[in-house]
Amino acid sequence: MPKIVAATGNEGVANALRQVTPDVCAAYPITPQTELMQRFSSFVSNGQVQTELVLVESEHSAMSACVGASAAGGRVATATSSQGLALMWEILYIASGLRLPIVMPVVNRSLSAPLNIHCDHSDAMGARDSGWIQIWSENAQEAYDNTIQAFRIAEHLDIRLPVMICYDGFIIGHSISRIEYLEDGEVQNFVGEFRQVNPLLDIEHPLSYGPLILPDYYMEYRKAQDEVASKVSKIVLDVADEFKKLSGRKYGLFETYRLDDADIGIVILNSAAGTTKDVIDEFRDRGIKAGLLKPRLYRPFPYVEMGEALKYLKAICVLDRSDAFGGSFGQMFLDISTSLYPYDKKPLLINKIYGLGGRDYLPEHAEHVLNELIEITRSGKVKAYKEYIGVRE
Amino acid sequence: MKLKGWKEVTPGAVILEAGNAIEFKTGSWRAFKPVWKKEHCIQCLLCWLYCPDMAIKVKDGRRAEFDYDFCKGCGICALECPGKKGIKAIIMVEEEK
Ligand code: SF4
Ligand code: SF4
């Protein structure tokens, strides 16, 4: 029987980690860490989970310890946010390059400077090309569900790659909402036993991790890593199917909302998708064919599937809660543009940057964007391809 | 030796067999070369202990010649060597060009 609770997103994800019971969790216990790790460390202290919790002196060390523990043979998890993820950067590539199935919730928050602790997606977007799988979550339920599924995806023998589960800091992390918990036993059955294929601690079969690979072989390893990414989508879908049987909740590579017959559409990640869906309902009530696409598997990016889902529309706005500075566009805009590039007939695309550093995303922002899309379909003209919204002049 | 293609390399570049440093000859890195002066050697074997590679051979419990296939010329052995009455049994000389 599922248990329904009122809990913060961080509490929910900490509970998912407790239910999975990783062998090792290495974490840096104070800022920029979140309440998630505080909750999890309480579980450890209270004997409610048998995980070896290693409290290290920085996020760089946290990820390094995770790399060691995972290579050694353990099921490993950690969590981070904002500057913490930025400090892990070097080791993120080592975790994915060594193909270590580490699971890490990332509570999305902005990057300094200016110093700010609130939600945006700059942290995870900065790590989008690090070889980690990224799964994004709209609300606390999705964050909880995705964390459980992440272990199965990461540890799948065809891939063995680390996974980040992204959800919005404060908006989801700190707010209390309804979460349906699975039973401990159900979660443990679902994730099963973990077996590291090449454990360093297997002293009968000594082996080496992290050798020097020079120009004669480096590209072969990189090509193999690029190739393994192509297997991820199918595994994500298979795990989602199995999870649906257990929980009744359906997941895919992305979620579409009233998109099938839409003329105009919004592509948006995480919690802001919820607000946008309400506004889309209002527009639909007025007879305007508006829809939404919310990516879930963001890395590897399902370019083909996204392109197929979006190519029929007349105009699309991609809303990014982060910006790629240097005259570029928001990161997701670049990915969506790429997924539509192969088609001769394709929607007009615009990019809005919103919600940086925790700036509220309000229904009127979605209305503003949808009205602009209506105008674009009418006139066939785009005023500005990229624009900040919710910003003072 | 035929180089492997990307489909054949081990995931994560893990090396599955132990003890294969022997296939990787580090001797070509050397700019300075250690030379053993047997007459000053007290057979303490500190050089064997300190050598970071496998370049100091020991035979029947006694120090034998350098294995220059693996000596990278770091000079640690020469630094650590106590020698006899203060005269070192290992000296570093520049490799001939
Ligand atoms: S120079 Fe360095 S590598 Fe060569 S024998 Fe001495 S300690 Fe070993
Ligand atoms: S350290 Fe010097 S004295 Fe000792 S065994 Fe080596 S060469 Fe001989």
Side-chain angles (χ1 to χ4, degrees):
Chain A
M1 270 295 286
K3 190 173 145 203
I4 295 166
V5 297
T8 66
N10 289 332
E11 248 179 289
V13 174
N15 190 48
L17 292 181
R18 182 193 61 76
Q19 293 183 308
V20 171
T21 314
D23 298 310
V24 178
C25 172
Y28 178 63
I30 59 162
T31 308
Q33 193 53 265
T34 67
E35 178 210 10
L36 193 179
M37 255 316 135
Q38 175 210 324
R39 296 271 174 185
F40 186 74
S41 61
S42 302
F43 289 141
V44 174
S45 314
N46 297 337
Q48 289 164 284
V49 65
Q50 302 304 314
T51 294
E52 183 73 37
L53 181 65
V54 191
L55 297 180
V56 289
E57 74 285 1
S58 78
E59 304 272 356
H60 189 277
S61 308
M63 187 45 65
S64 302
C66 286
V67 163
S70 180
R75 173 177 268 161
V76 179
T78 182
T80 192
S81 178
S82 178
Q83 302 304 116
L85 183 61
L87 185 55
M88 281 180 181
W89 203 83
E90 181 188 7
I91 315 299
L92 293 179
Y93 283 74
I94 296 177
S96 61
L98 296 178
R99 304 275 296 275
L100 300 173
I102 299 163
V103 169
M104 176 164 72
V106 174
V107 190
N108 297 124
R109 296 184 354 203
S110 60
L111 290 177
S112 187
L115 184 61
N116 172 289
I117 54 167
H118 290 276
C119 173
D120 74 31
H121 300 158
S122 312
D123 52 2
M125 282 297 168
R128 74 192 185 284
D129 298 332
S130 62
W132 283 58
I133 293 168
Q134 283 192 344
I135 297 174
W136 293 65
S137 327
E138 178 178 328
N139 50 40
Q141 184 71 59
E142 290 192 11
Y144 169 82
D145 292 346
N146 285 337
T147 302
I148 293 166
Q149 291 174 67
F151 285 90
R152 285 284 304 278
I153 297 164
E155 295 166 3
H156 195 286
L157 288 178
D158 288 351
I159 52 176
R160 285 181 283 153
L161 284 171
V163 179
M164 283 179 206
I165 303 96
C166 304
Y167 60 98
D168 284 350
F170 289 92
I171 302 163
I172 300 305
H174 279 54
S175 312
I176 293 177
S177 61
R178 177 190 187 279
I179 312 181
E180 225 176 280
Y181 287 153
L182 297 164
E183 280 177 34
D184 291 3
E186 290 177 322
V187 173
Q188 273 153 25
N189 278 339
F190 182 78
V191 295
E193 283 280 316
F194 171 63
R195 195 179 67 83
Q196 163 64 280
V197 181
N198 296 314
L200 263 181
L201 281 185
D202 178 1
I203 49 174
E204 300 294 320
H205 304 98
L207 39 78
S208 308
Y209 269 80
L212 175 72
I213 303 292
L214 290 170
D216 57 348
Y217 267 109
Y218 188 83
M219 249 182 111
E220 279 66 32
Y221 284 104
R222 285 319 202 193
K223 167 68 184 162
Q225 200 177 346
D226 179 50
E227 204 60 34
V228 79
S230 66
K231 299 183 185 166
V232 175
S233 286
K234 185 181 178 298
I235 289 161
V236 169
L237 291 174
D238 289 350
V239 171
D241 273 353
E242 241 184 274
F243 189 77
K244 181 166 179 275
K245 285 186 200 121
L246 177 64
S247 67
R249 292 184 289 278
K250 187 171 179 289
Y251 289 94
L253 302 178
F254 46 80
E255 182 196 327
T256 56
Y257 186 75
R258 308 188 81 163
L259 191 72
D260 286 347
D261 64 337
D263 291 328
I264 56 172
I266 285 183
V267 180
I268 195 160
L269 280 165
N270 280 13
S271 67
T275 312
T276 309
K277 287 175 194 169
D278 282 347
V279 177
I280 283 175
D281 288 343
E282 287 168 24
F283 276 65
R284 282 276 177 180
D285 290 346
R286 287 162 39 200
I288 295 156
K289 289 182 173 175
L292 170 142
L293 186 149
K294 178 189 76 180
R296 173 173 179 252
L297 178 66
Y298 193 81
R299 279 291 180 273
F301 198 79
Y303 288 98
V304 175
E305 293 86 346
M306 291 271 192
E308 283 297 311
L310 293 170
K311 68 178 183 188
Y312 307 101
L313 278 82
K314 292 185 180 141
I316 296 172
C317 179
V318 181
L319 279 104
D320 274 283
R321 201 168 204 148
S322 56
D323 197 0
F325 300 112
S328 185
F329 291 85
Q331 289 87 354
M332 190 161 65
F333 179 84
L334 299 173
D335 283 319
I336 296 294
S337 311
T338 308
S339 63
L340 287 167
Y341 177 77
Y343 303 99
D344 289 334
K345 196 173 163 307
K346 53 190 158 231
L348 284 164
L349 271 183
I350 56 169
N351 185 204
K352 304 285 183 204
I353 309 292
Y354 75 100
L356 301 186
R359 178 64 53 89
D360 281 333
Y361 174 74
L362 302 169
E364 55 246 45
H365 295 131
E367 284 163 22
H368 165 86
V369 169
L370 288 169
N371 285 329
E372 189 173 331
L373 289 175
I374 294 169
E375 186 51 38
I376 288 173
T377 53
R378 254 187 224 139
S379 66
K381 288 202 188 80
V382 171
K383 271 189 288 168
Y385 284 101
K386 178 185 176 186
E387 191 187 30
Y388 275 56
I389 57 170
V391 69
R392 289 182 302 278
E393 286 299 323
Chain B
M1 188 172 61
K2 191 181 165 290
L3 293 173
K4 287 180 186 163
W6 67 265
K7 288 178 188 158
E8 301 159 293
V9 298
T10 44
V14 179
I15 295 180
L16 300 173
E17 308 88 42
N20 49 23
I22 200 155
E23 291 163 28
F24 190 42
K25 303 214 164 144
T26 45
S28 61
W29 302 3
R30 201 168 55 235
F32 286 87
K33 173 182 179 165
V35 177
W36 185 35
K37 302 281 180 196
K38 216 170 174 175
E39 60 278 22
H40 301 305
C41 177
I42 58 167
Q43 290 295 340
C44 67
L45 292 187
L46 278 177
C47 50
W48 170 78
L49 196 64
Y50 276 100
C51 175
D53 216 299
M54 43 199 283
I56 287 163
K57 295 287 157 209
V58 175
K59 219 176 153 221
D60 303 328
R62 291 179 68 78
R63 192 202 196 290
E65 253 307 339
F66 286 106
D67 185 341
Y68 290 112
D69 275 352
F70 297 101
C71 170
K72 50 191 137 192
C74 67
I76 292 174
C77 54
L79 185 82
E80 297 297 339
C81 173
K84 200 188 273 176
K85 294 183 181 152
I87 302 170
K88 296 237 180 219
I90 302 175
I91 52 163
M92 300 299 290
V93 298
E94 202 170 345
E95 279 286 345
E96 284 145 52
K97 304 235 161 61

